Amino acid sequence: MTRTTRRLGPARTTAAALSAVALMATLSACGGSASGEEADALTDVSLVFSGALTVCTDMPYAPFEYEEKGKPTGFDIDLVRKVADDLEADLDVVDVSFDDITSGTSLNNDVCDVAISAMTITGERARVLDFSSPYFDAKQALITPKGSGLDEISELAGQRVGVQKDTTGETYLSDFAPETTQVTTYDDAAGLQAALAAGELDAAMLDNTVSGQFVADNPRLKLSREFDTGEQYGMAVKKDGNIPLLRSINSTLADLREDGSYEEIYAKYFG
């Protein structure tokens, strides 16, 4: 059972992100069906609220997390629901700011048990969060109006470019865009997309995983360029605070890959 979202309150860097994966290698290695000591560890999973897996996410960020008919849905939601099912727990989704997730505030203050929000694994974030094994590969995408002539990041000098605050898109622009680029940050993806669609921006930098639908919904825009940044998304739990849950998440992810369920969920949202 999914209990719908509660609002409490920005994937969302580059190859350096993979260093975080190495940091979590010993945890990632526990993927697959649990047995022996691992099985015993799964019985030690403690939850903020008994009988429910409480999940923090930042909505809307379709197709990963959004509401449909008043209920949370999306690629991330379907994945984490499988984690809840394996724990024989209900799923309770809490809508919080992306900054509260990446800073560790929500998890480390026991607002939720796990966070999933199209969140890139980075070394900086791994200092305040414990990440699962990666579950998704992503790139950055430059979105511009058709006919603008803006197709390369070097052409953004003097242009108004929007990004979501505290995301890997913001970091990528900071590292590679010309110094005269006028970067505007938005608290959420919805605000960024609305500003670009309204002509308030000359371009936007988004994860390529959400840019396709955005461009499809706005015929005057185009996906100008993708940048392979080596990003991978991961779920996260409280830092040094819930290793049994992390093991359970990794076990579920491995099982989904093995039995084909991951591919089915992927096809549902990405074709």
Side-chain angles (χ1 to χ4, degrees):
M1 180 179 71
T2 300
R3 292 182 287 202
T4 194
T5 55
R6 294 177 282 128
R7 181 72 188 180
L8 300 183
R12 290 183 200 334
T13 101
T14 58
L18 299 179
S19 62
V21 180
L23 289 175
M24 306 312 300
T26 56
L27 297 174
S28 301
C30 64
S33 300
S35 60
E37 292 182 1
E38 289 180 7
D40 292 338
L42 298 185
T43 64
D44 294 331
V45 172
S46 60
L47 302 175
V48 173
F49 298 103
S50 179
L53 181 69
T54 308
V55 179
C56 282
T57 193
D58 174 33
M59 294 194 292
Y61 200 70
F64 288 91
E65 40 268 334
Y66 58 99
E67 285 194 353
E68 188 172 76
K69 298 181 180 179
K71 295 183 178 181
T73 189
F75 180 79
D76 281 354
I77 304 302
D78 282 8
L79 281 185
V80 79
R81 184 179 286 112
K82 295 293 188 180
V83 176
D85 289 346
D86 284 351
L87 292 171
E88 299 183 351
D90 294 336
L91 183 66
D92 191 1
V93 179
V94 183
D95 190 9
V96 303
S97 73
F98 195 62
D99 181 64
D100 281 349
I101 294 173
T102 59
S103 66
T105 300
S106 295
L107 286 167
N108 297 328
N109 288 328
D110 292 329
V111 173
C112 50
D113 302 296
V114 58
I116 183 169
S117 198
M119 177 170 50
T120 300
I121 301 169
T122 71
E124 181 179 2
R125 292 171 181 171
R127 286 195 286 269
V128 293
L129 302 169
D130 280 342
F131 279 102
S132 71
S133 52
Y135 69 85
F136 200 93
D137 298 333
K139 303 177 182 180
Q140 289 299 311
L142 179 66
I143 310 300
T144 63
K146 291 178 179 178
S148 66
L150 299 176
D151 298 310
E152 302 286 346
I153 198 166
S154 60
E155 297 169 342
L156 298 179
Q159 304 297 316
R160 302 165 301 171
V161 185
V163 292
Q164 189 177 352
K165 181 182 178 182
D166 294 330
T167 63
T168 48
E170 181 180 15
T171 301
Y172 193 80
L173 276 182
S174 176
D175 289 343
F176 298 106
E179 290 185 6
T180 58
T181 303
Q182 303 172 39
V183 178
T184 301
T185 60
Y186 294 82
D187 288 336
D188 54 46
L192 168 59
Q193 293 172 346
L196 182 60
E200 298 171 6
L201 297 168
D202 300 305
M205 186 72 75
L206 293 165
D207 283 15
N208 70 321
T209 48
V210 297
S211 59
Q213 188 60 51
F214 177 44
V215 169
D217 292 340
N218 296 272
R220 60 177 292 271
L221 302 176
K222 69 173 183 177
L223 195 162
S224 294
R225 179 79 183 273
E226 288 187 338
F227 305 93
D228 191 351
T229 53
E231 296 180 46
Q232 293 181 303
Y233 297 165
M235 302 188 201
V237 302
K238 178 192 292 189
K239 185 67 178 178
D240 299 327
N242 210 334
I243 301 305
L245 176 57
L246 198 61
R247 288 173 172 160
S248 180
I249 292 169
N250 285 338
S251 177
T252 297
L253 289 174
D255 288 344
L256 292 175
R257 296 278 192 180
E258 184 175 346
D259 66 16
S261 298
Y262 179 93
E263 286 74 16
E264 293 177 4
I265 297 173
Y266 184 96
K268 177 181 177 181
Y269 292 100
F270 301 101

